[in-house]
Amino acid sequence: MNRRTKIVAVAAAVLLTLGAGGVAVASGGDGGHGTRPVREAAALTGTAKLYRPAGDDITFAFDAHLAAKDDKDPQAATGTFRFSHYKDGKGGYAVAKVDCLTTGGKVAVVTGVVTETDVDAFRNKRVGISVHDDGRHDRLGYSWVGRDTNLEVPPCLSSAPFEKVQAGTGDFKVLPWQLEYPTE
C-alpha cells in the first residue's frame, strides 16, 4: 500500500470512528447501537402568573411527566405542581404530587393531591388544573372555581382553561400524548 492509500485509509477509519461516536452521542450514548431514546409519553412544564388587574399575585408552576413505558396509564404520571395567590400580604400556596396527566395537542389536564399548603381547605385534597399552551396567549383553568366547589375531584379532571395568563409570564410547554392504536 502506498503512502497516499494509507493516509486515505487512516482518514476513513478516523471518520468512521468519529461518526460512530457521533451516532452514540446523538442517540443517547447507547454505545453506537443506533437506537434512539424513547420520548416520554406526555409532559406539562412551565410557570405563569394569571392576569389580574387588581394586582393579585397568582402563580402556577408545573413539572409533570408521563414516562414512555406508562403510555397507556396516565395515572402513572409523576412530578409536582404548585400554585399560590397573594394580595396585600395575605394569601396562601399549595404543592401537589401529580397523580394523573393527560395531554392532547396544546392542552393538558393534570391532577394531584396537595401534600404541602398553608390553606387548610386544600390539605390532602385532589385538585385539577388545565393548561392551554398557546404561545404568548397561554390560558389556565382549575377545579376549585365556583361558589359551592368540592375541592376533591377524580383523577384527570379539571375545568376548561378559562383564565388568561399575564402577558410576558407564560412559558407553559405541553408535550402531546401520542397513543399508538392497534391496527387490527
Side-chain angles (χ1 to χ4, degrees):
M1 199 183 300
N2 68 29
R3 182 168 187 225
R4 181 180 175 152
T5 306
K6 286 180 186 178
I7 291 173
V8 170
V10 168
V14 167
L15 286 175
L16 284 172
T17 302
L18 289 175
V23 169
V25 170
S27 67
D30 67 352
H33 292 90
T35 59
R36 295 207 164 257
V38 179
R39 142 197 189 312
E40 61 187 338
L44 169 60
T45 58
T47 303
K49 290 181 179 243
L50 295 187
Y51 171 73
R52 284 293 194 280
D56 299 52
D57 180 3
I58 305 171
T59 304
F60 287 81
F62 303 93
D63 186 21
H65 304 271
L66 181 62
K69 68 181 181 58
D70 298 318
D71 184 44
K72 305 255 187 309
D73 184 8
Q75 288 183 277
T78 61
T80 59
F81 57 90
R82 176 184 179 93
F83 52 97
S84 62
H85 184 168
Y86 294 98
K87 184 173 182 186
D88 300 328
K90 297 178 184 172
Y93 79 97
V95 177
K97 181 180 178 201
V98 171
D99 67 3
C100 190
L101 173 67
T102 59
T103 63
K106 300 261 184 196
V107 176
V109 174
V110 63
T111 56
V113 175
V114 174
T115 58
E116 180 184 332
T117 186
D118 57 1
V119 179
D120 287 338
F122 283 106
R123 193 172 317 282
N124 299 316
K125 300 287 186 181
R126 178 181 294 110
V127 295
I129 303 175
S130 62
V131 168
H132 183 203
D133 173 14
D134 194 21
R136 294 181 3 193
H137 305 286
D138 289 347
R139 298 182 74 86
L140 186 138
Y142 38 85
S143 61
W144 57 92
V145 67
R147 187 174 336 142
D148 297 324
T149 301
N150 176 1
L151 287 179
E152 189 86 26
V153 297
C156 305
L157 293 179
S158 187
S159 65
F162 58 91
E163 292 269 13
K164 293 179 184 176
V165 168
Q166 183 176 318
T169 70
D171 68 351
F172 295 140
K173 298 287 183 256
V174 173
L175 179 64
W177 201 15
Q178 296 177 339
L179 289 173
E180 290 190 28
Y181 297 101
T183 56
E184 292 183 23

